[in-house]
Amino acid sequence: MKSAAYRTSQPSFEDLGTHLSEVTFVVVDLETTGGGPDSAITEVGAVKVRGGEVLGEFQTLVDPETHIPASIAVLTGITDRMVASSPTISQVLPSFLEFARGSVLVAHNAGFDIGFLKRACERQEVPWPGNTVVDTVALARQVLLRDEVPNCKLATLAAHFRTTTEPNHRALSDARATVDVLHGLLERIGSLGVDTLEDLVEFTHRVSPQRRAKRVWAKDLPTGPGVYCFYADHRQEDGSVRREVLYVGKSKNIRTRVRSYFTASEKRGRMEEMVRVATGVEAHECATALEAEVRELRLIRAHAPRYNRRSRNQVRLLWVKLTQEAFPRLSVVRKVLDDDCQYWGPFRSKQLAEEAVMAVYDAFPIRQCTRRLTRRNPSPACALAEMSRCLAPCELDERAEQYEEVVAQVREALTTDVRPVLSTVGRRLGRLVDQERFEEAQSLSARLQGYASATLRGRRLVAVARCPQIVAALPHPEGGWQIHVIRYGRLASATRSRSGEVPQRVAREAISLAETVLPPRPEMPAATPEECELLARWLETPGVRLMDIEGEWSWPLHAGLAQGELARITLGSAREDSPVAT
């Protein structure tokens, strides 16, 4: 693993991008029969400029092949007679696209003009070339203050910048006026550090200059997989510096991903705030993408960065415990103890745990009360016993002996076979659907899904956690193999064999250098459940090859819900002997 920290530095020529004086702009304006998507173009006007010099102009009337409304004719001066002998858009479009080839398109209220051009391309089955687009309205709203101009209409801006051409709702005149407006706006933003096309695009997307200036942090970062940490250094009263990790992320290409935080592609508000607060970024290169994912989880757990939302509470999970009492019951708990009890889960919230438990209650008459019961002193049954929802072992009659069998069935339903719960509750679900009680059916369906998912998740974690060592490999897209050593559900080593290297030799070296992992509590991973689940998901990826394994990596056939099985139950087609598999 390689790591390095990067702070703001002088940008290189590569970082500067294309200077605005070298950019070819095509400023375009359209006149149309209206503003709706079904309206047609009546005139196209465009001016090509670079470095303040006009390189060419494009202007033509267009036959809209429809009537021009009187209100539009009065506004633009374009009448049906004027366009009667003009070319159609199918004839004009190829010429305009050739005129604008390789340029940056500029328009005042670009969404309107560019939208018409894109729809014209679509109707003519001509691919849109994908030119970069700059909107002078958006640019003016960021540059000009309200006390300078009352609005950002073209006529208002033309008067403000004293354009040589006055806009008059004709395409070429309006395009010429927009050229002068563009130059006036570019002159204003030049003092804000916007000197390149890349700066201009980010500026129009409201990316602050301070945020753009930090893009040099990504300049020397690795291009391979790994994790990155944005941090802020805080100077203490004693002169020391305390480093706070603000955000941890992962990527298959660290440099590209970190650079995106300083562009308009990053639209999350909290990320913009994070970049503004950060004073640097630290990168850790990893051998494989899986190692990067695992390292991200561990760093988030270690630092609890305030701008990370996912995986902040990896250890704050809930479990359902089948207690060891005279008459066992199900209890939602926060910790797994070494008490020989059966634990089921984990669950990310109390609501999810309780919903899954309700599915078990729907299938088995296990007690739901929290009273401490003994086998010597009977106590009165509750209302659930009268509703046949509880076997009432508290009364110490013959049902108390039957209760042990029910507990054994519950234990099997939590660890081995979900079919009894699915078949029992599924029949009730089918009745709800038949009665068109769809809201209740949806709630019960979610309960069943949560139950089956929790059972399968738990078995997958146990399957990986009980193996002292698993060595597995996955072909790398660029050749060679990604090799991982997993011990008791924890990633102990990760490496990559290059093309031409013997993967078995590389794997042996990875094993010798792997982290020593002590056996954890039975049926619990040595890592967090989230890390173990990540490893289990990777092991199940198509193409993964097992190179060596100690222990047995498997889980019961009926420990989960087969794809589409819940839908069949909802439709009432499930039977008690219907197959349920993973």
Side-chain angles (χ1 to χ4, degrees), residues 132-384:
T132 300
V133 176
V134 173
D135 188 351
T136 49
V137 171
L139 194 57
R141 285 174 177 167
Q142 286 194 259
V143 174
L144 303 177
L145 303 177
R146 183 58 62 88
D147 58 357
E148 291 183 273
V149 291
N151 56 60
C152 291
K153 295 179 180 179
L154 180 57
T156 304
L157 298 182
H160 179 74
F161 288 110
R162 299 178 182 178
T163 61
T164 55
T165 303
E166 183 179 349
N168 60 0
H169 295 291
R170 291 300 298 268
L172 185 58
S173 296
D174 287 2
R176 289 169 174 168
T178 305
V179 169
D180 290 341
V181 169
L182 173 66
H183 288 158
L185 293 171
L186 293 181
E187 185 177 350
R188 286 285 296 268
I189 63 177
S191 60
L192 300 177
V194 179
D195 300 315
T196 67
L197 175 61
E198 292 76 11
D199 290 339
L200 177 61
V201 172
E202 299 305 330
F203 189 85
T204 57
H205 287 87
R206 298 184 180 275
V207 178
S208 66
Q210 294 80 8
R211 181 175 163 191
R212 293 198 315 275
K214 293 181 178 180
R215 67 188 183 277
V216 295
W217 290 356
K219 180 169 62 73
D220 297 320
L221 292 179
T223 57
V227 294
Y228 51 90
C229 303
F230 283 91
Y231 62 83
D233 286 337
H234 304 285
R235 186 162 299 280
Q236 306 299 297
E237 294 182 357
D238 59 359
S240 62
V241 176
R242 178 180 64 84
R243 174 161 295 182
E244 176 192 7
V245 175
L246 301 173
Y247 182 79
V248 176
K250 67 177 185 303
S251 178
K252 295 180 181 179
N253 187 317
I254 301 175
R255 182 189 301 173
T256 300
R257 183 67 186 97
V258 171
R259 189 179 179 88
S260 70
Y261 285 90
F262 314 116
T263 68
S265 62
E266 179 54 72
K267 301 183 184 302
R268 293 173 293 176
R270 76 180 195 282
M271 290 295 99
E272 182 174 0
E273 178 184 311
M274 182 274 294
V275 172
R276 186 171 65 252
V277 173
T279 58
V281 61
E282 186 178 41
H284 305 265
E285 192 171 10
C286 298
T288 67
L290 178 63
E291 183 189 6
E293 291 186 79
V294 170
R295 192 168 295 278
E296 178 195 33
L297 290 176
R298 294 179 184 177
L299 287 172
I300 291 175
R301 182 186 176 189
H303 298 286
R306 53 176 156 147
Y307 289 98
N308 279 95
R309 290 182 178 175
R310 188 181 63 85
S311 304
R312 279 175 57 91
N313 300 318
Q314 299 176 48
V315 295
R316 294 178 58 183
L317 300 172
L318 296 172
W319 305 79
V320 174
K321 175 181 180 179
L322 183 60
T323 62
Q324 290 277 20
E325 300 180 62
F327 301 104
R329 59 187 177 85
L330 297 176
S331 176
V332 178
V333 298
R334 294 191 176 276
K335 291 184 179 181
V336 176
L337 304 177
D338 193 5
D339 53 5
D340 295 327
C341 291
Q342 179 68 53
Y343 288 88
W344 178 47
F347 298 91
R348 300 188 184 280
S349 70
K350 187 175 182 180
Q351 180 181 354
L352 292 176
E354 291 176 344
E355 285 291 327
V357 168
M358 288 301 298
V360 180
Y361 288 152
D362 289 337
F364 300 104
I366 190 171
R367 74 184 182 100
Q368 302 181 34
C369 62
T370 58
R371 289 183 297 171
R372 187 175 184 84
L373 304 180
T374 68
R375 293 185 177 273
R376 285 185 279 182
N377 301 318
S379 57
C382 61
L384 289 176

Side-chain angles (χ1 to χ4, degrees), residues 495-534:
T495 188
R496 177 190 168 190
S497 68
R498 305 289 175 175
S499 297
E501 290 185 302
V502 179
Q504 289 80 2
R505 180 182 61 80
V506 177
R508 287 193 294 270
E509 293 179 358
I511 293 172
S512 64
L513 298 174
E515 173 188 355
T516 300
V517 180
L518 300 177
R521 179 191 178 281
E523 299 197 342
M524 286 296 295
T528 63
E530 190 167 352
E531 177 180 333
C532 186
E533 189 172 17
L534 179 65

Side-chain angles (χ1 to χ4, degrees), residues 421-480:
V421 173
L422 296 182
S423 59
T424 302
V425 183
R427 287 192 291 271
R428 178 186 166 198
L429 184 60
R431 290 193 296 270
L432 291 174
V433 173
D434 292 339
Q435 298 168 12
E436 298 186 0
R437 297 159 63 182
F438 298 119
E439 290 187 4
E440 294 178 65
Q442 183 180 10
S443 176
L444 190 60
S445 176
R447 186 180 298 174
L448 277 178
Q449 186 67 62
Y451 156 76
S453 299
T455 303
L456 178 59
R457 185 186 188 195
R459 290 305 93 194
R460 291 172 70 228
L461 293 180
V462 169
V464 177
R466 67 187 173 195
C467 293
Q469 179 169 286
I470 300 175
V471 183
L474 179 69
H476 194 279
E478 299 177 1

Side-chain angles (χ1 to χ4, degrees), residues 515-575:
E515 173 188 355
T516 300
V517 180
L518 300 177
R521 179 191 178 281
E523 299 197 342
M524 286 296 295
T528 63
E530 190 167 352
E531 177 180 333
C532 186
E533 189 172 17
L534 179 65
L535 299 177
R537 191 162 54 246
W538 181 85
L539 287 170
E540 297 162 22
T541 302
V544 168
R545 308 286 183 86
L546 290 179
M547 304 181 70
D548 181 52
I549 185 169
E550 296 178 23
E552 182 180 291
W553 175 46
S554 65
W555 59 82
L557 176 64
H558 302 301
L561 189 63
Q563 185 176 6
E565 186 67 20
L566 187 59
R568 292 205 307 114
I569 293 173
T570 304
L571 296 174
S573 60
R575 301 193 303 270

